């Protein structure tokens, strides 16, 4: 292959090299125990999606250019150049990966395939083969941030509409969505969309919380795209805003990756310690319920309720109990999916895959395990925090005719809250 | 015969020993001098204390409970191999220094009989496990995932085990003679006792050592470094 291209691509690995990556490259025994951990491999039986195979592609380059034994006898390791063939397969296996890290959970050496694939994404981007859709969404977010003033009017009137809805729900004329309120305790970094703001606003206002939102959202397509610099820029927006407003705490929405980005990745990208406490909104809601700051009536929700642990919140974020405690507070008919918590199956919709039409087929097939779990649970209502999980499961729901109601957890909470307002208000929360 | 044994069981051992120790040292140095991952790669639930993290790392590395849950058969054979290999290693220490207590208790004859049984069982179990691994790599995704390194290592292991078993099951030479040979190596005054070279297992020792040397020389440059790397990688799981 062309020398220039080769230098660029191996340079990416060199730049990304660190102890853990090196160990993952050196120690994998190719035992393939990971094969049955991966929802995509299990759902499709396609070798491309076997976790160890995804990592093996990077290992082949590593062996050829970064490992003495591999340089000496490349054939022993099938070491090779990052040529077109390799990049074709790498694109397919890397962007399809939802980053759920279930393979890491079962690996006897805890090899983090998703971490290896973050290098794969950097290589693909350097080769001009990054996923276009995710790249465009990341650039759009950066553009929107750079030109915040342009969007301010529209956003402010949107927030005003949501304030109206909040007042209609709670019946309290003083309730509102606070925007850019200096000195608030909490900055709530929502997703773009009323569904992420309205129920949160209802809960914050009812709890008497000192909170505000800003113009910047939590979704981070730079992270899905695999460009650490873009991801950092997108995150930095709300970090800067939090500093300017002087808040004490950042609360991220139900969204899965937003929590991990703020809590775990931002420090690494920016090289500065995260200056704020980061909480997941469900941790806050759980606190409010336990402290009696908000009241929920049990069993206003019909049917049996189950809970899906989004990978980035559960296994990769450590929030297991708060959502369960919330769901148990609103229903006495709670059932677990099996397996659950850190062994929970990925729904198949994470890592930005729902935004990439080209992976629709593998995405739906990879939801097979989730469908089995949901059917086996006998539940009719699913509490599901992550936006990507919800999009995927709603689609699976339709395709497989599961007849499931899929709810955000905060919507369940709002539906269970007693308000002074008229009964119609309850309907507005749906 | 003398030349073969001199190459494989004297010179070869020194070369393999040096390459193995230097190679492992180099490998650990490489890992230690590469900066840590900037991102904490741990997954939840994580133990809160360092002691808890170490305990979890040791359990994950030595028992692999998660792997046992997802592929019990593979876990069984892997466990069988590693435990038998550890037992065989401990048994081989007899050729460095005879154990205290046990020989006194069993007597010289009894100790040899015990070693024959224990070594025979360990060697057989290892052979079964390696054959299982070879078989597993001949079909489906396991075959597709395998690279020549995997087969080479299994072939070397099989060679080591078969020749070891041959000495165990068909030889009449006991630890005392092997100890004489191995201690002479350690004292840098190498000689192979006639009792070995004139026996029916002289060739097997030579071939056993040939495979052992090859395995030790390749060890630091192969995936076998998982024997040390897995401790570090499993620790990162809790960070």
């Amino acid at each position: 292959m062309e020398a220039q291209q080769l230098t660029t691509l191996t340079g990416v690995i060199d730049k990304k090299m660190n102890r853990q990556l090196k160990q993952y490259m050196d120690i994998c025994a190719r035992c393939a125990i990971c094969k049955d951990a991966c929802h995509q491999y299990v759902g499709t039986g396609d070798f491309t999606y076997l976790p160890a195979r995804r990592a093996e592609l990077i290992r082949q380059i590593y062996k050829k250019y970064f490992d003495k034994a591999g340089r000496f006898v490349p054939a022993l390791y099938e070491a090779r150049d990052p040529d077109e063939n390799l990049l074709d397969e790498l694109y397919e296996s890397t962007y399809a990966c939802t980053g759920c890290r279930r393979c890491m959970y079962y690996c006897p050496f805890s090899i983090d395939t998703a971490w290896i694939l973050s290098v794969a994404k950097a290589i693909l981007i350097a080769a001009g083969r990054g996923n276009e859709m995710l790249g465009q969404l990341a650039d759009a977010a950066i553009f929107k941030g750079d030109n915040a003033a342009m969007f301010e009017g529209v956003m402010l009137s949107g927030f005003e509409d949501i304030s109206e809805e909040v007042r209609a729900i709670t019946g309290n004329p003083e309730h509102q969505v606070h925007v850019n309120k200096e000195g608030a305790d909490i900055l709530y970094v929502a997703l773009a969309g009323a569904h992420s703001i309205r129920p949160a606003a209802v809960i914050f206002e009812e709890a008497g919380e000192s909170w505000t939102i800003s113009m910047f959202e939590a979704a981070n397509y730079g992270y899905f795209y695999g460009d650490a610099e873009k991801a950092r820029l997108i995150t930095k927006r709300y970090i800067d805003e939090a500093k300017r407003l002087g808040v004490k705490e950042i609360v991220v929405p139900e969204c899965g990756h937003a929590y991990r980005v703020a809590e775990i990745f931002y420090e690494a990208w920016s090289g500065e310690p995260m200056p704020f406490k980061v909480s997941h909104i469900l941790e806050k809601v759980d606190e409010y319920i336990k402290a009696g700051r908000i009241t929920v009536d049990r069993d206003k929700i019909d049917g049996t309720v189950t809970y899906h642990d989004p990978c980035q919140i559960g296994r990769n974020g450590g929030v297991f109990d708060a959502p369960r405690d919330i769901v148990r507070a609103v229903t006495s008919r709670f059932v677990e999916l099996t397996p659950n918590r850190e062994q929970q199956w990925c729904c198949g919709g994470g890592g930005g895959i729902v935004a990439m039409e080209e992976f629709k087929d593998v995405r739906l097939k990879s939801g097979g395990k989730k469908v089995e779990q949901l059917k086996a649970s006998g539940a009719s209502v699913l509490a599901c925090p992550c936006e990507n999980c919800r999009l995927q499961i709603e689609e699976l729901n339709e395709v497989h005719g599961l007849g499931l109601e899929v709810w955000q957890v905060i919507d369940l909470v709002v539906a269970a809250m007693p308000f002074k307002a008229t009964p119609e208000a309850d309907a507005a929360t749906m | 015969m003398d030349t073969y044994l001199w190459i494989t069981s004297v010179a070869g051992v020194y070369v393999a020993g040096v390459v193995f120790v230097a190679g492992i040292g180099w490998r650990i140095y490489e890992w230690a001098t590469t900066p840590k991952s900037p991102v904490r790669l741990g997954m939840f639930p994580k133990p809160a204390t360092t002691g808890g993290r170490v305990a979890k790392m040791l359990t994950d590395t030595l028992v692999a409970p998660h792997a046992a849950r997802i592929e019990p058969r593979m876990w069984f054979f892997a466990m069988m191999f590693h435990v038998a290999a550890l037992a065989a290693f401990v048994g081989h220490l007899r050729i460095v220094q005879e154990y205290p207590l046990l020989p006194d208790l069993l007597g010289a004859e009894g100790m040899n009989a015990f070693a024959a049984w224990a070594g025979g069982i360990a060697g057989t179990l290892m052979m079964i496990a390696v054959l299982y691994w070879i078989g597993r790599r001949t079909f489906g995704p396991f075959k597709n995932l395998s690279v020549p390194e995997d087969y080479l290592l299994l072939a070397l292991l099989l060679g080591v085990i078969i020749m070891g078993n041959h000495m165990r099951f068909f030889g009449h030479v006991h630890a005392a003679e092997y100890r004489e040979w191995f201690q002479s190596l350690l004292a840098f005054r190498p000689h192979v006792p006639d009792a070995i070279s004139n026996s029916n297992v002289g060739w097997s020792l030579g071939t056993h050592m040939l495979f052992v040397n090859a395995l030790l020389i390749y060890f630091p440059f192969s995936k076998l470094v998982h024997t040390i790397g897995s401790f570090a990688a499993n620790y990162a799981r809790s960070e």
Side-chain angles (χ1 to χ4, degrees), chain A residues 42 337-338 345 367-378 396 400 402:
Chain A
V42 170
L337 294 175
T338 316
W345 279 102
K369 279 286 166 190
K370 188 52 60 189
V371 171
E372 278 175 29
Q373 277 186 295
L374 290 166
K375 277 185 182 161
S377 75
L396 292 172
H400 295 270
L402 299 177

Side-chain angles (χ1 to χ4, degrees), chain A residues 62-83:
Chain A
Y62 167 84
K63 284 287 178 187
K64 181 145 186 187
Y65 292 98
F66 296 89
D67 182 69
K68 288 198 168 47
R71 255 179 295 194
F72 190 53
V73 206
L76 210 46
Y77 307 92
E78 295 181 357
R80 57 178 171 150
D81 281 333
D83 57 14

Side-chain angles (χ1 to χ4, degrees), chain A residues 18-20 26 29-31 35 41 47 75-77 101 104-106 108-110 263 268 315 318 343, chain B residues 27 31 34-35 37-38 40-42 44 66 69 136-137 141-142 144-145 149-150 218 221 223 233-234 237:
Chain A
N18 58 66
R19 189 181 305 158
Q20 276 67 32
D26 292 333
R30 286 174 290 272
C31 69
K35 109 186 140 61
Y41 181 76
F47 184 55
L76 210 46
Y77 307 92
R101 302 211 299 169
M104 177 181 179
Y105 178 82
Y106 287 103
F109 310 151
S110 303
E263 177 68 16
R315 185 161 45 240
Q343 292 171 26
Chain B
R27 179 67 72 181
W31 285 341
T34 309
S37 155
R40 282 173 287 144
L41 298 175
F44 296 88
H66 312 104
R69 220 168 294 138
R136 192 168 174 271
R137 287 200 185 273
F142 309 109
N144 289 340
L145 192 62
E149 178 194 14
D150 302 323
Y218 185 39
F221 311 101
K223 65 176 188 176
N234 276 328
R237 180 197 186 107

Side-chain angles (χ1 to χ4, degrees), chain A residues 95-358:
Chain A
Y95 277 108
C97 175
T98 57
C100 74
R101 302 211 299 169
R102 202 167 181 270
C103 49
M104 177 181 179
Y105 178 82
Y106 287 103
C107 175
F109 310 151
S110 303
I111 293 175
D112 186 351
T113 311
W115 181 238
I116 298 172
L117 294 186
S118 73
V119 179
K121 286 186 179 180
I123 290 174
L124 288 165
I125 291 169
R129 284 165 166 258
N131 179 273
E132 267 181 46
M133 178 53 96
L134 297 181
Q136 282 168 12
L137 287 165
D139 288 338
I142 292 171
F143 175 82
K144 210 170 133 187
D146 285 340
N147 301 280
M150 222 165 96
F151 300 93
E152 200 173 343
V154 184
M155 289 183 73
L156 286 175
S157 87
F159 292 148
E160 200 31 61
D161 293 345
I162 298 171
S163 290
E164 286 291 336
E165 291 168 17
V166 170
R167 286 190 283 272
I169 294 165
T170 65
N172 186 330
E174 284 168 17
H175 284 177
Q176 59 166 309
V177 174
H178 303 276
V179 185
N180 292 333
K181 185 173 133 192
E182 284 180 39
D185 290 340
I186 283 175
L187 173 66
Y188 176 57
V189 188
L191 293 178
H195 67 286
S196 153
I197 303 168
R198 184 180 49 228
V202 169
I203 293 167
F204 284 139
E205 289 291 279
E206 285 282 313
E209 186 60 83
S210 158
W211 71 291
T212 181
I213 63 171
S214 73
M215 297 291 160
F216 304 107
E217 55 163 328
N220 195 323
Y221 281 96
Y223 168 69
F224 291 149
Y225 180 55
D227 185 325
E229 182 54 19
K230 285 191 164 86
R232 184 187 70 86
L233 281 174
I234 294 169
T235 317
K236 191 173 181 292
R237 295 278 155 60
Y238 68 71
I239 304 284
D240 287 349
E241 205 62 359
K243 286 179 186 161
R244 186 179 70 80
L245 298 171
V247 301
K248 299 188 184 108
E249 184 175 352
I250 286 177
V251 176
V252 294
E254 294 205 356
C255 165
H257 72 287
Y259 182 64
R260 199 156 165 239
V261 158
E263 177 68 16
I264 291 166
F265 282 95
Y266 183 70
E267 285 190 2
W269 292 335
S270 66
E272 61 164 17
M274 168 57 88
F276 305 98
K277 181 179 177 216
V278 175
S279 300
H280 191 267
I281 184 158
L282 295 181
E283 294 178 306
K284 299 306 289 183
V285 174
D286 185 40
E287 256 174 61
Y288 298 153
I289 293 175
K290 284 176 182 162
R293 287 174 70 177
I294 59 171
T295 342
V296 285
D297 290 338
R298 230 174 177 199
D299 292 333
K300 270 173 102 178
I301 320 279
D302 288 330
T304 310
V305 185
T306 189
Y307 174 73
H308 161 72
D309 295 91
C311 306
Q312 306 302 356
I313 294 173
R315 185 161 45 240
N316 300 331
V319 182
F320 292 113
D321 291 317
R324 284 181 168 73
D325 290 352
I326 295 170
V327 174
R328 285 206 180 92
V330 301
T331 179
S332 56
R333 293 180 299 274
F334 174 70
V335 290
E336 284 280 9
L337 294 175
T338 316
N340 51 56
R341 300 172 76 98
E342 65 271 21
Q343 292 171 26
Q344 184 73 263
W345 279 102
C346 174
C347 66
I353 195 173
V354 285
M356 297 180 279
E357 192 59 26
E358 64 203 274

Side-chain angles (χ1 to χ4, degrees), chain B residues 16 22 24 32 53 67 80 84 98 105 114 123 127 139 154 157 160 163 165 178 203 211 215 227 232-233 239:
Chain B
I24 291 290
R53 283 193 281 273
M80 187 167 101
E98 179 61 287
L105 220 63
F114 171 76
M127 192 165 73
F139 67 94
L154 287 170
L157 277 176
V160 170
M163 294 325 292
N165 284 346
Y178 292 122
W203 281 100
F211 280 114
L215 190 68
T227 42
E239 276 182 319

